[in-house]
Amino acid sequence: MDRRDESRRVRVAVVGSGFGGLGAAVRLRREGITDFVVLERADTVGGTWRDNSYPGCACDVPSHLYSFSFAPNPDWPRTFSGQRHIRAYLEHVADTFGLRPHLRLGHEVRLMRWDAGAAHWEIETSRGSFTAEVVVSATGALSDPKVPEIPGLDGFPGKVFHSARWDHGYDLRGKRVAVVGTGASAIQIVPAIESEVARLTLFQRTPPWVMPRVDRAISGAERALHRTLPFTGAVRRQVLWGVRELQVQAFTKRPNELGLVESLAKANIARSIKDPALRAELTPSYRIGCKRILLSSTYYPALARPHVDLVASGLAEVRGSTLVAADGTEAEVDAVVFGTGFHVTDMPIAERVVGEDGITLAEAWKDGMASLRGATAVGFPNWLTIVGPNTGLGNSSMILMIEAQLAYLADYLRQLDGLGGRGGTGRAVLTPRPAAVDAWNRRVQERMRRTVWNTGGCTSWYLDAGGRNTTIWPGTTGEFRRATRRVDLAEYEVSRAGLPGQRAATTRKRENAR
């Protein structure tokens, strides 16, 4: 056997090298599993923090909460860190935990297909094929940019790019620039570039609620304290976590309590925007929290500049170098920057995953994403996702949810071992029962009904094409951690395969489920 072929047979294949993928790799090594690869389409690690390098890019979660609990960073330079420092942190994680030998950079996954006979996944990448007993999809929800279909855009003679694919070779100085969208990226881009451009036009479809960003440099004394006494950093993290856990009730059960926060947000607008007409255009009509609350202390002041225009009806058409809004407003521009988000509820990776019935994950999810505990999907054996359906957060750190899912992954692999996956009579396979997935999602959607995300009167990227919220977790991170602490075999069908080439025989394991 060619040793190169042997090396391409692994126990676990992780797809993606952002927080989810690197976290999975660290957890695998801590579990004593070294027979794995991390497949990454880019030439470096970092995920969304590698791809999003636009001017002003930063996190809206405090630094000490936006990092792994098992890899604290005492040297965060600011309370809210910028893209450069977060990306450096992920590179540090890859080095510190010995992940480099497992990385397969430049390996874009083109197809993952379940082979029932061999009980493994066949994976085709841009640089060769692999087989894996288990696949962990950690591509994330913010990995594939979404650009709306605008009539005439193809004929625009100037520069066009998405915020997540920023063209650093294009000089914005002295240009007339349009920014399309008013999400988390746009409110950082606008104040970062407005001083360079000749004119900036912001096309807004729906105004966001924006609160001040209370950011500051972390002093050298604070950093020295966290280095010398690591428990102080842990305490800081716990306080940040606890405050956000207390906020969850207002988002999930008592949205009317958000009225005070809404008043503070209106006061924030009034402080910077003196023009009553502009202030009215920037004031949302939906309950605060329905869309993610954005943080910026520079966004509104930038919009008040004389060379910055707000078009409040959204971009409808492009005629040559002229952008036309839905209300007929026109703007002549040299460049268009789309800050229009990502494919979240229709993740492109789903089109590349083919399960046991020969259908893709995208086909299985055509009526809406659904999984068991945010991790496993009906018809896709030994396949898990990190940051899966209904694992998103509206007010806290996704790293908390990722770590909970890593615990579930670890127990999943232990269960496979115990069922014969390692050194047993046959390789074990776990597939979630449809009834278990349905029950889990019914509970999630029932809890979702009274949340601000469903009742707040907005249309957000949290909702899929059918208006169903398949993105957000309707509870605390503590609740999710408890729900994913271990795998309940009663929720799974157990199969076994003998030697490669033999058909996996499904066996019901109800008697051993508990």
Side-chain angles (χ1 to χ4, degrees), residues 329-369:
T329 302
E330 296 184 357
E332 192 86 8
V333 301
D334 303 305
V336 181
V337 178
F338 283 97
T340 46
F342 300 83
H343 290 275
V344 176
T345 60
D346 57 342
M347 295 184 290
I349 190 67
E351 299 175 355
R352 306 180 187 187
V353 184
V354 181
E356 61 183 355
D357 295 325
I359 65 170
T360 66
L361 185 61
E363 291 171 323
W365 283 353
K366 68 182 186 328
D367 295 324
M369 299 190 298

Side-chain angles (χ1 to χ4, degrees), residues 244-287:
R244 280 154 182 78
E245 291 289 273
L246 292 174
Q247 296 171 347
V248 171
Q249 293 290 329
F251 286 87
T252 60
K253 295 180 180 179
R254 295 185 290 273
N256 289 335
E257 293 183 357
L258 292 165
L260 174 59
V261 181
E262 197 167 294
S263 298
L264 295 174
K266 288 180 179 178
N268 185 41
I269 301 174
R271 275 193 297 270
S272 299
I273 306 297
K274 304 308 179 184
D275 180 352
L278 179 58
R279 192 162 59 240
E281 290 177 330
L282 291 171
T283 303
S285 59
Y286 56 86
R287 172 62 75 191

Side-chain angles (χ1 to χ4, degrees), residues 177-179 189-190 193-194 197-202 307-310:
V177 179
V179 175
I189 292 169
V190 168
I193 69 172
E194 63 87 9
V197 303
R199 189 152 209 90
L200 193 154
T201 303
L202 177 63
H307 68 294
V308 178
D309 299 315
L310 176 72

Side-chain angles (χ1 to χ4, degrees), residues 40-45 50-51 104-108:
E40 169 56 56
R41 65 185 176 184
D43 57 2
T44 58
V45 303
R50 173 199 59 233
D51 297 341
R104 300 295 181 269
L105 303 175
H107 283 68
E108 181 176 9

Side-chain angles (χ1 to χ4, degrees), residues 311-325:
V311 178
S313 62
L315 179 60
E317 184 183 358
V318 178
R319 300 173 189 161
S321 59
T322 302
L323 273 58
V324 184

